[in-house]
Amino acid sequence: MNTELFALRHIGPRKEELAAMFNSIGVENMGQLMFETIPDEIKLERPLNLPPALSEYEFAQHINTLAEKNKLFKSYIGLGYHEAVLPAVIQRNVLENPGWYTAYTPYQAEIAQGRLEALINFQTMVSDLTGMELANASLLDEATAAAEAMSLLFAVRSRTKKKSKANKFFVSEEVMPQTLALLETRATPIEVELVVGKHEDFDFSEAFFGALVQYPGKTGKVYDYEAFTKKAIENDIKVAVAADILSLVKLEAPGNWGVDVVVGTTQRFGIPLGYGGPHAAYFATKEAYKRNIPGRIIGVTKDVDGNPSMRMALQTREQHIKRDKATSNICTAQVLLAVMAGFYGVYHGPKGLTYIANQVHRKAVQLTEALEKLGLYQENELYFDTLSIKTNAQKIEAIALKNEINFYYPAEDSVVISINEATSMEDLNKIVHVFAEAIGKEKVSLGNLDQDLIEASALNRKTSFMTQEVFNSFHSETSLMRYIKRLERKDLALNHSMISLGSCTMKLNAASEMLPLSNPKWGNIHPFAPVNQAEGYHEMLEKLEDYLTEITGFSATSLQPNSGAQGEFAGLMVIRAYHLANGDAHRKICLVPSSAHGTNPASAVMAGMKVVVVKATEEGNIDIEDLKEKAEKYSENLAALMVTYPSTHGVFESSIREITRTIHEHGGQVYMDGANMNAQVGLTSPGRIGADVCHLNLHKTFAIPHGGGGPGVGPICVAKQLVPFLPSNPMIKTGGENAISAISAAPWGSSLVCLISYAYIRMLGEEGLTSSTEHAILNANYIKSRLSDFYPTLYSGERGRAAHEMIIDCRAFKEKGIEVKDIAKRLIDYGFHSPTVSFPVAGTMMIEPTESEGKAELDRFCDAMIAIRKEIEECDKSEPNNVLVNAPHTLAMLTTDEWNLPYSRQKAAFPLPFVSANKFWPSTRRVDEAYGDRNLMCSCEPLESYMTETEN
Ligand SMILES: *Cc1c(COP(=O)(O)O)cnc(C)c1O
């Protein structure tokens, strides 16, 4: 074996296993399988033009050389991004630990209690600090969270008759520029009118349904919004506050004023800047809006024995169900980052956070004093960490750059300085030095660190926070390390067994791909730092864009969207801009096949389009006749078709070119949902099938780990006519000549994790990528053939082949009293995470093994599925007490003194010989989904007897 070839590490099946797999499928070789799977007319005409594969060792050298091209200046730019100190115990045990980063979204609650608990900690921390009743488990970034707040308030405005027609949303001019840009992007298509101004001058007229203010303001000034909120409430105007999470440790919580939503980012709770992300934003609101909260929310419920357990709550409210009635398309969020920020809160606790916030604040006060001694004028009367100095910005900038320092320069006569957890006394002295030099004065020394402006102000925080036991228990490294491990052990991730999630592509996230993330030369760059300080980043990002453009067969790529769903929205907004530029403002109809992922219709509505559903045939393909009829009918107003390819049914539809041609004939553009790119790379492409734009899920196809439900990167790749409209950013220009406004807060979205996909492509090269696609298809078809006598496959291509995933039909087992979810839970007893359940067809499972799984693991999975099939045979509807409906079986249940179930303990826990070698014990019995929604509880229990004595 060529030990330098990364492809041999990434791809599971060994060469010597292939013959048996081909034999099982009934093909001679890979060539024949590809021939039978992919329609001839869409095959690529030439191999992808990509650089040759690097070995893992070569890549490590290469990426370090690139990292050296980034310059680590001290950034005091602020604007929602601050250098942070990631506790090493969290870096090593979470960020660098596949037990955490390779986990899937916690749909199977029984094997996800660890991250569910970590996320409840995050939610509790956020609710406490903001003073709100409820917080979700993260959003993509602060700007997106603010836009989601606007959408929520717009959606609920009709609850009071007076506001049912109001369409104006007030935005304080103190709101961050990137947030304002995103609000514009989101407001325009849904016909919300933004009015920007000073909150002091706001006229509380009837036309407004809501308002957004920033706390503290973008240049650091702290306003008291209590009176403003009161007046807004009197006038039936809802208030959202974008708040800095660390400042809330010292400043009174906005929840106390009665505001409706509080949003922000938790980046400064230990998360690297990463040149823009990923970081977890937060969204906190009132109980009254619980059914409108975007993203995911974790709730406490009970299992069948009545023991408390956790789950994702209110799933019925997700876009999957609401589709074109949804007001948000958030699916993937920032789970791993929320978990890390939550652990940061656990590690420091309320006292540690108070210490950190005090240090930051007092350093800012100290700096103000020193600068005032120099004769400079600091504009903010009350501030937390950010000073605004009136002086010649150009002069300061030149000297600051010489000293490797970045400030924020909002105007010619203004310099803004944001202090953070990583700012040392030496750093403060350097800052003073820069100003002294600029105005030609002698340097002054810093005063002492005990002056606190906030404590003396009316906004001094009096509400206690994070009094729960979990935030007051794990302050030594040993105790936190063990707490993290205790939670990790409850969760099944890719380091235990295969997670064959249809549509989600849970492939290997190689250690070599992940390592660069820990390098501060990548981690510590502010997204709004001058671009010439990020040369390493730009080389990497530009190459990645080029590779993705080549792979999709298009003309350009934007890496800005932070998830697949954001990519959909971005792509549709680009299509919208294209139609507008052509004078076709009326083109608003978006055709969406009935089998589409729920985010598709939700995104279309957000982009101001009207969804028209296209039927599917019995074989699961798009009904061409219906498509043609609808394209004809709406020809005048057709904006786009959204199509997933291969289809969500796991089939390469042979009529795809006819479909895209039809749309073009009627003046529409074709949006391809790229979630299934793992079946295309190197063999066909969105460009080849005739699409105009697609998003990719780098967290599916391109090896970014799922993180337990995020981070994600959802770049869009576009054909030539759409290039001018690619999204920009208000702080640093990106995108096309005629760019749409921002889709996410940072110019290049989550730059840090783009390193992973870059590594993936560089180490596989053209041959490795193509081979990965082939093996993904091979593995799916191998499972299909092995299960064919036991489970019917719902759909196949014309020559009987599945693509990279397949759907098995479990609906017939209802006769035996068995639902598809019973199979999902029973798989846990065998040590496996269930495949996708009931998407895109209710009562089915969608299995996607990916190329990274070897034959041995595929065989174990198939053996488990076959054994379960036999267990189903033994079931009887009239006797619903069996090994399936009782699954999963916990260790506690099996070791009770009494056992009166109609099957043995051995059958329950060790149904096949291979299970005992790698037994995974679920930490809870089956959770009660309905109970949790009826009794929504989204924070950890308060510690009743919390003691106030000082800790050791
Ligand atoms: C995963 C997925 C999406 C959404 O992507 P996110 O990154 O979760 O927002 C959209 N469509 C399909 C078919 C998917 O599988």
Side-chain angles (χ1 to χ4, degrees):
M1 186 176 97
N2 178 351
T3 58
E4 286 168 23
L5 207 55
F6 174 67
L8 293 180
R9 308 295 187 184
H10 174 75
I11 296 172
R14 303 291 89 190
K15 212 171 159 188
E16 51 280 10
E17 293 170 346
L18 294 180
M21 296 175 79
F22 293 143
N23 189 37
S24 167
I25 296 170
V27 291
E28 291 290 317
N29 50 36
M30 196 68 98
Q32 187 187 347
L33 179 61
M34 292 308 117
F35 171 78
E36 292 182 4
T37 306
I38 299 172
D40 298 332
E41 63 163 6
I42 62 163
K43 281 181 185 146
L44 287 189
E45 288 155 325
R46 59 161 175 84
L48 296 174
N49 181 12
L50 295 169
L54 296 175
S55 72
E56 292 179 73
Y57 178 77
E58 286 166 338
F59 177 77
Q61 310 265 301
H62 164 71
I63 206 70
N64 282 337
T65 309
L66 271 192
E68 289 308 314
K69 295 188 181 177
N70 293 326
K71 298 194 189 101
L72 283 198
F73 284 27
K74 273 283 178 186
S75 282
Y76 306 101
I77 299 170
L79 289 174
Y81 299 95
H82 304 267
E83 190 176 341
V85 181
L86 168 59
V89 56
I90 299 174
Q91 175 174 340
R92 175 139 298 187
N93 293 287
V94 182
L95 177 63
E96 297 172 349
N97 178 352
W100 285 95
Y101 66 71
T102 69
Y104 181 60
T105 308
Y107 281 107
Q108 300 298 330
E110 296 82 1
I111 45 174
Q113 292 291 305
R115 56 195 185 277
L116 287 165
E117 180 169 330
L119 290 172
I120 280 226
N121 292 345
F122 174 85
Q123 290 177 180
T124 308
M125 177 175 85
V126 169
S127 316
D128 269 24
L129 286 170
T130 56
M132 301 302 284
E133 288 164 340
L134 216 61
N136 76 1
S138 81
L139 282 182
L140 299 168
D141 58 29
E142 175 167 331
T144 308
E148 291 291 339
M150 176 183 73
S151 282
L152 180 148
L153 297 180
F154 189 55
V156 302
R157 77 199 188 286
S158 57
R159 287 194 192 168
T160 49
K161 277 210 186 87
K162 210 166 112 194
K163 290 290 167 198
S164 59
K165 292 253 154 51
N167 77 329
K168 286 190 182 177
F169 188 70
F170 173 77
V171 187
S172 157
E173 61 183 29
E174 286 282 358
V175 161
M176 313 277 190
Q178 70 274 23
T179 301
L180 180 59
L182 232 95
L183 290 169
E184 277 164 14
T185 313
R186 292 281 297 271
T188 319
I190 56 170
E191 291 172 12
V192 165
E193 188 188 329
L194 296 185
V195 177
V196 182
K198 288 191 194 317
H199 76 276
E200 295 99 327
D201 305 339
F202 181 52
D203 92 357
F204 293 82
S205 76
E206 294 217 345
F208 288 89
F209 65 88
L212 174 72
V213 294
Q214 186 100 37
Y215 182 59
K218 68 179 173 192
T219 56
K221 185 167 173 184
V222 177
Y223 297 89
D224 186 344
Y225 297 114
E226 186 165 11
F228 173 84
T229 307
K230 219 170 133 205
K231 200 140 179 235
I233 293 170
E234 279 165 22
N235 288 279
D236 189 26
I237 293 168
K238 309 271 187 261
V239 177
V241 180
D244 175 89
I245 191 100
L246 188 61
S247 73
L248 295 181
V249 170
K250 292 192 63 66
L251 293 170
E252 197 43 277
N256 285 16
W257 306 324
V259 304
D260 296 279
V261 185
V262 185
V263 297
T265 170
T266 59
Q267 179 268 321
R268 67 193 307 183
F269 278 15
I271 312 301
L273 289 164
Y275 203 43
H279 319 125
Y282 68 83
F283 188 105
T285 188
K286 293 176 170 170
E287 180 90 29
Y289 305 131
K290 65 184 179 194
R291 300 209 174 262
N292 297 81
I293 296 179
R296 291 152 177 161
I297 182 160
I298 312 305
V300 181
T301 183
K302 53 179 192 175
D303 70 6
V304 289
D305 290 335
N307 294 318
S309 53
M310 288 155 279
R311 58 183 275 275
M312 290 205 289
L314 301 173
Q315 282 172 39
T316 46
R317 145 220 66 78
E318 281 207 54
Q319 343 76 22
H320 273 302
I321 310 294
K322 284 198 178 170
R323 301 183 77 88
D324 60 335
K325 303 287 180 303
T327 49
S328 163
N329 66 351
I330 301 288
C331 186
T332 287
Q334 302 282 18
V335 174
L336 190 69
L337 298 312
V339 164
M340 288 169 63
F343 279 131
Y344 178 95
V346 167
Y347 196 39
H348 291 308
K351 290 190 185 119
L353 291 183
T354 303
Y355 174 81
I356 293 165
N358 278 339
Q359 286 284 310
V360 166
H361 174 59
R362 290 170 189 179
K363 280 175 187 163
V365 178
Q366 207 182 16
L367 181 62
T368 297
E369 251 200 359
L371 295 180
E372 280 174 349
K373 266 195 241 163
L374 284 175
L376 291 157
Y377 176 61
Q378 202 280 110
E379 295 177 293
N380 298 334
E381 208 173 304
L382 188 62
Y383 53 90
F384 167 61
D385 61 356
T386 303
L387 327 178
S388 175
I389 308 287
K390 264 248 157 337
T391 187
N392 183 327
Q394 216 181 347
K395 224 164 161 186
I396 298 290
E397 186 172 14
I399 299 169
L401 285 174
K402 221 172 56 194
N403 287 276
E404 307 199 335
I405 289 175
N406 298 319
F407 299 127
Y408 169 40
Y409 308 100
E412 274 174 19
D413 62 345
S414 176
V415 180
V416 171
I417 311 167
S418 227
I419 301 304
N420 56 59
E421 190 190 348
T423 310
S424 67
M425 296 309 272
E426 198 190 328
D427 295 330
L428 290 184
N429 272 313
K430 268 196 182 161
I431 296 173
V432 176
H433 175 79
V434 167
F435 281 86
E437 189 182 328
I439 58 176
K441 288 206 177 166
E442 280 297 303
K443 201 179 143 204
V444 295
S445 54
L446 293 161
N448 44 15
L449 195 64
D450 54 9
Q451 292 191 73
D452 199 310
L453 290 181
I454 294 174
E455 274 172 14
S457 82
L459 283 168
N460 186 35
R461 182 168 184 129
K462 290 165 207 84
T463 322
S464 63
F465 59 94
M466 294 161 73
T467 53
Q468 299 82 355
E469 191 174 353
V470 69
F471 298 115
N472 295 280
S473 302
F474 307 109
H475 303 324
S476 74
E477 177 161 339
T478 301
S479 62
L480 186 73
M481 173 179 72
R482 287 182 188 152
Y483 178 56
I484 293 173
K485 183 69 193 174
R486 183 168 101 204
L487 298 193
E488 181 198 337
R489 234 186 281 116
K490 297 181 180 190
D491 288 13
L492 190 148
L494 279 178
N495 61 349
H496 182 87
S497 58
M498 117 174 168
I499 302 180
S500 56
L501 260 147
S503 210
C504 289
T505 314
M506 300 287 292
K507 62 172 64 176
L508 170 76
N509 318 114
S512 285
E513 294 157 359
M514 294 294 293
L515 278 180
L517 270 59
S518 300
N519 182 347
K521 282 259 171 166
W522 294 112
N524 235 340
I525 298 188
H526 193 288
F528 303 143
V531 286
N532 63 12
Q533 291 170 24
E535 272 178 37
Y537 258 116
H538 285 284
E539 206 174 315
M540 182 273 288
L541 294 170
E542 274 159 38
K543 280 187 182 160
L544 178 59
E545 286 175 1
D546 289 349
Y547 302 156
L548 298 177
T549 301
E550 167 70 11
I551 287 167
T552 52
F554 280 137
S555 297
T557 294
S558 164
L559 291 166
Q560 204 179 93
N562 281 324
S563 72
Q566 294 305 98
E568 292 170 22
F569 175 63
L572 292 173
M573 288 300 286
V574 162
I575 290 176
R576 180 178 178 274
Y578 167 78
H579 287 315
L580 285 176
N582 291 340
D584 286 338
H586 53 279
R587 289 198 173 269
K588 286 190 170 177
I589 298 290
C590 185
L591 301 181
V592 181
S594 56
S595 65
H597 194 263
T599 52
N600 290 188
S603 301
V605 171
M606 283 165 59
M609 295 182 184
K610 190 174 170 311
V611 172
V612 172
V613 176
V614 181
K615 286 188 225 153
T617 63
E618 242 165 65
E619 296 79 50
N621 295 329
I622 290 181
D623 183 331
I624 298 268
E625 290 318 307
D626 192 49
L627 176 95
K628 286 190 170 162
E629 211 171 279
K630 283 174 176 152
E632 187 80 50
K633 181 171 169 197
Y634 297 105
S635 186
E636 194 85 332
N637 297 319
L638 187 63
L641 164 76
M642 294 187 88
V643 59
T644 305
Y645 200 76
S647 73
T648 48
H649 291 151
V651 174
F652 281 101
E653 286 167 87
S654 50
S655 54
I656 187 66
R657 299 247 293 191
E658 191 184 346
I659 290 171
T660 55
R661 220 177 300 125
T662 304
I663 298 302
H664 289 146
E665 277 163 17
H666 293 280
Q669 294 280 290
V670 176
Y671 183 94
M672 195 201 86
D673 180 326
N676 291 343
M677 266 312 278
N678 215 45
Q680 290 196 31
V681 179
L683 301 178
T684 179
S685 76
R688 184 84 181 103
I689 66 168
D692 301 288
V693 43
C694 74
H695 79 259
L696 302 172
N697 300 63
L698 299 192
H699 48 301
K700 295 177 180 174
T701 315
F702 293 92
I704 293 178
H706 229 71
V713 177
I716 54 169
C717 311
V718 298
K720 207 158 131 210
Q721 76 277 14
L722 299 178
V723 178
F725 308 104
L726 286 175
S728 186
N729 178 277
M731 297 298 294
I732 292 179
K733 199 193 147 353
T734 58
E737 289 147 31
N738 209 345
I740 60 166
S741 49
I743 292 292
S744 46
W748 289 275
S750 295
S751 309
L752 183 66
V753 288
C754 285
L755 283 162
I756 302 166
S757 300
Y758 178 74
Y760 175 78
I761 295 171
R762 287 308 302 261
M763 293 194 292
L764 282 177
E766 184 276 325
E767 275 179 42
L769 287 170
T770 308
S771 176
S772 293
T773 311
E774 291 170 344
H775 282 84
I777 293 172
L778 169 73
N779 281 358
N781 280 287
Y782 178 66
I783 292 184
K784 181 170 180 278
S785 78
R786 275 217 57 198
L787 296 185
S788 62
D789 288 343
F790 306 92
Y791 297 89
T793 309
L794 211 46
Y795 309 108
S796 301
E798 274 173 9
R799 296 168 184 142
R801 301 297 168 208
H804 66 314
E805 62 189 2
M806 38 148 343
I807 296 176
I808 58 168
D809 196 346
C810 304
R811 291 173 292 196
F813 309 140
K814 281 209 175 108
E815 270 174 38
K816 297 271 179 193
I818 299 302
E819 305 271 345
V820 64
K821 76 163 182 271
D822 299 317
I823 303 174
K825 301 305 176 192
R826 182 59 177 151
L827 270 169
I828 295 171
D829 289 333
Y830 286 84
F832 286 106
H833 192 292
S834 168
T836 301
V837 172
S838 289
F839 170 78
V841 183
T844 67
M845 273 185 171
M846 180 155 59
I847 306 169
E848 178 183 355
T850 85
E851 69 278 13
S852 299
E853 299 300 339
K855 182 170 178 293
E857 183 75 347
L858 298 177
D859 281 334
R860 280 188 289 271
F861 175 78
C862 291
D863 290 346
M865 288 298 289
I866 292 165
I868 290 173
R869 181 67 188 85
K870 289 177 182 150
E871 290 169 357
I872 296 171
E873 233 16 77
E874 296 160 10
C875 292
D876 179 350
K877 196 173 185 173
S878 60
E879 206 67 56
N881 182 9
N882 56 56
V883 75
L884 275 122
V885 301
N886 291 332
H889 297 81
T890 60
L891 183 58
M893 172 188 184
L894 276 132
T895 50
T896 49
D897 291 338
E898 263 174 66
W899 180 261
N900 38 33
L901 293 175
Y903 47 87
S904 73
R905 288 165 156 138
Q906 163 136 23
K907 177 164 181 164
F910 300 100
L912 283 177
F914 74 76
V915 177
S916 57
N918 192 23
K919 179 64 188 171
F920 189 90
W921 291 106
S923 58
T924 179
R925 289 195 61 198
R926 202 180 292 192
V927 303
D928 187 336
E929 305 275 351
Y931 179 87
D933 282 351
R934 282 196 310 272
N935 306 279
L936 192 63
M937 245 226 10
C938 302
S939 57
C940 30
E941 290 285 337
L943 174 63
E944 286 150 329
S945 56
Y946 175 62
M947 302 294 169
T948 50
E949 80 249 29
T950 46
E951 292 167 73
N952 44 5

